[in-house]
């Protein structure tokens, strides 16, 4: 995965692909009991509490033959192919779907069309609020995240905004169910502003919608991510368009799955195998920037080398931890803010994580950094 799906350029459309492996996995996994989950899941809102982590048993030591998992992780799919790490997914079938981002992934979960997806930190929260029981099984961040943000606040030409405090009274693009929407609320909090102090304009954050809204002065400010930052400044800086750094961490990237999938012993074991290789893929991307630039950004995404290089440099270094303690604490702060500002039920962040998977990705990321990289 690239670390936060909403910030990635959209993947080129492709048919669902699969690759099947022949050998059973070795013993880094444990066997889950089936648990008591229903087809609709057990988390959701207040009054319908999350399924206790204790209801899951340990992960299996091998993946049963014939197991298939459906994966919405198009960026890492490319990394596995470029690195040859796909050869390590043996003994079961991985079907990749060209699905990423919270809304698409949640819809696919509900349709039983996907077993794991790649998102930022907001989709698991909103999925839970809408009654879908999901759990995070891998997490990655950016080192020095404040100085390597996923997003900057785009400022429309002539808006007269040079500081965050000057957002007062301005129109701000807002997508409540996505990472960009949560970031807007965090920026307002950082600036000492309330929602009533600004005008939130609900707009989907797809493609170049926010850049277009800024250039047309439909909004005065909007979070821009990835190469949209560079392109916006290139096109509109001469007219007075600018960006502001928000000074906050906005870097979480997660793999998450429906709880009913994680209650299936075979799928849970296969997902653990995937998470292990996912961690190695993060290390390979880190250690092979030129291959990643050419194979992913240029050939797969159709970007120029200049734009691809910009994204690599903007991302900085990866952080794939072996413990989720700090990440869960930050996730709780986000939940508390959203619960208050969006009038949603309070959740406990730790309940959104399946701790059986906690150390898997970080351990493989660290081990490959010591000379085990493909």
């Amino acid at each position: 995965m690239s670390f936060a799906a909403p910030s990635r350029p959209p993947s080129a459309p492709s048919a669902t692909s699969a690759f099947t492996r022949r050998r059973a996995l070795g013993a880094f996994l444990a066997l889950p009991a089936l648990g008591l989950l229903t087809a609709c899941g057990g988390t959701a809102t207040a009054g319908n509490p999350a399924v206790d982590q204790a209801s899951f048993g340990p992960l299996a030591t091998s993946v049963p033959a014939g197991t298939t998992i459906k994966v919405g992780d198009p960026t890492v799919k490319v990394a596995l192919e470029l690195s040859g790490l796909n050869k390590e997914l043996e003994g079961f079938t991985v079907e990749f779907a060209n699905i990423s981002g919270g809304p698409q992934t949640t819809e696919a979960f509900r349709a039983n069309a996907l077993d794991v997806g790649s998102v930022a930190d907001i989709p698991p929260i909103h999925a839970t609020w809408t009654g879908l029981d999901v759990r995070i099984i891998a997490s990655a961040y950016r080192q020095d995240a404040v100085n390597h943000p996923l997003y900057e606040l785009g400022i429309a030409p002539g808006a007269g905004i040079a500081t965050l405090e000057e957002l007062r009274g301005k129109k701000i693009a807002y997508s409540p169910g996505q990472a960009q929407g949560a970031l807007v609320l965090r920026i307002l909090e950082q600036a000492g502003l309330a929602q009533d102090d600004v005008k939130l304009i609900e707009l989907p954050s797809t493609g170049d919608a926010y850049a277009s809204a800024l250039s047309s002065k439909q909004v005065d400010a909007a979070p821009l991510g990835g190469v949209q930052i560079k392109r916006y400044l290139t096109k509109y800086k001469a007219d007075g368009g600018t960006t502001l750094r928000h000074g906050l961490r906005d870097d979480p990237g997660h793999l998450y799955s429906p709880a009913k999938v994680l209650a299936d012993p075979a799928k849970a074991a296969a997902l653990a195998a995937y998470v292990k290789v996912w961690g190695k893929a993060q290390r390979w991307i880190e250690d092979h920037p030129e291959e990643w630039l050419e194979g992913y950004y240029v050939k797969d995404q159709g970007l120029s080398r200049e734009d691809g290089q910009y994204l690599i440099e903007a991302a900085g270094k990866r952080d794939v931890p072996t413990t989720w303690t700090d990440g869960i604490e930050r996730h709780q702060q986000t939940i508390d803010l959203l619960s208050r500002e969006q009038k949603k039920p309070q959740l406990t962040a730790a309940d959104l994580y399946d701790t059986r998977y906690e150390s898997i990705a970080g351990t493989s990321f660290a081990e490959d950094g010591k000379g085990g990289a493909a």
Side-chain angles (χ1 to χ4, degrees):
M1 153 184 111
S2 230
F3 287 81
S7 71
R8 295 194 304 260
S11 297
S14 62
T16 299
S17 61
F19 49 92
T20 305
R21 306 297 173 223
R22 295 180 297 276
R23 296 200 309 263
L25 291 168
F28 72 103
L29 314 169
L31 178 49
L34 282 172
L36 301 174
L37 302 177
T38 69
C40 293
T43 42
T45 56
N48 185 18
V51 175
D52 194 309
Q53 179 70 29
S55 68
F56 294 117
L59 293 166
T61 57
S62 63
V63 180
T67 302
T68 296
I69 55 171
K70 300 172 184 177
V71 177
D73 197 0
T75 301
V76 165
K77 172 183 179 289
V78 178
L80 297 178
E81 292 169 347
L82 292 173
S83 64
L85 286 167
N86 53 1
K87 297 181 179 66
E88 296 192 17
L89 294 171
E90 299 182 337
F92 62 101
T93 299
V94 179
E95 295 179 354
F96 279 99
N98 191 29
I99 294 173
S100 62
Q104 278 192 337
T105 301
T106 298
E107 182 179 352
F109 284 164
R110 292 190 186 282
N112 298 317
L114 202 66
D115 295 316
V116 63
S118 172
V119 292
D121 58 343
I122 305 307
I125 300 171
H126 277 271
T128 303
W129 276 332
T130 60
L132 182 64
D133 192 353
V134 295
R135 304 297 167 82
I136 291 165
I137 62 173
S139 296
Y141 306 91
R142 291 179 171 186
Q143 295 181 25
D144 192 19
V146 170
N147 291 314
H148 292 88
L150 287 166
Y151 302 100
E152 294 184 18
L153 197 61
I155 307 299
I161 301 170
T163 67
L164 297 182
E165 289 73 18
E166 290 174 337
L167 291 169
R168 184 182 296 274
K170 302 297 185 179
K171 296 177 292 184
I172 306 174
Y174 180 61
S175 51
Q178 297 182 281
Q180 294 94 326
L183 179 60
V184 166
L185 296 179
R186 295 176 65 216
I187 288 171
L188 294 179
E189 183 181 52
Q190 174 94 333
L193 300 174
Q195 290 190 53
D196 291 343
D197 294 324
V198 300
K199 300 174 184 177
L200 296 180
I201 308 298
E202 288 200 20
L203 292 171
S205 59
T206 54
D208 62 354
Y210 279 6
S212 296
L214 288 167
S215 64
S216 65
K217 301 185 181 181
Q218 182 180 357
V219 297
D220 300 305
L224 299 176
V227 75
Q228 290 291 341
I229 299 169
K230 175 178 178 290
R231 290 176 177 173
Y232 179 72
L233 291 175
T234 298
K235 194 168 184 179
Y236 298 109
K237 187 174 183 179
D239 298 327
T242 61
T243 63
L244 282 178
R245 289 283 182 96
H246 49 69
L248 298 164
R249 292 195 69 149
D250 63 3
D251 59 325
H254 304 295
L255 294 180
Y256 76 139
S257 296
K260 65 181 180 180
V261 171
L262 296 169
D264 180 312
K267 285 185 180 289
L271 286 169
Y274 182 77
V275 167
K276 182 178 182 181
V277 178
W278 181 89
K280 292 185 177 185
Q282 306 308 318
R283 174 60 71 181
W284 185 89
I285 294 169
E286 178 96 351
D287 292 343
H288 298 81
E290 185 61 30
E291 293 96 321
W292 187 237
L293 171 63
E294 187 65 28
Y296 179 65
Y297 287 119
V298 176
K299 291 185 178 178
D300 186 77
Q301 297 293 289
L303 299 180
S304 67
R305 289 183 60 84
E306 181 184 15
D307 283 351
Q309 187 61 41
Y310 167 83
L311 290 172
I312 289 172
E313 292 174 1
K317 299 292 186 182
R318 285 168 167 73
D319 174 24
V320 184
T322 56
T323 175
W324 292 337
T325 302
D326 291 343
I328 289 174
E329 181 178 347
R330 294 192 297 269
H331 212 166
Q332 186 66 60
Q333 293 170 0
T334 299
I335 290 171
D336 293 344
L337 175 65
L338 294 182
S339 178
R340 181 175 70 249
E341 295 295 327
Q342 296 182 348
K343 306 298 188 291
K344 298 289 189 180
Q346 184 60 41
L347 302 174
T348 299
D351 291 342
L352 301 180
Y353 291 75
D354 187 337
T355 53
R356 296 176 299 171
Y357 295 83
E358 183 171 15
S359 66
I360 295 175
T363 298
S364 62
F365 179 81
E367 288 177 349
D368 268 30
K370 297 174 182 177

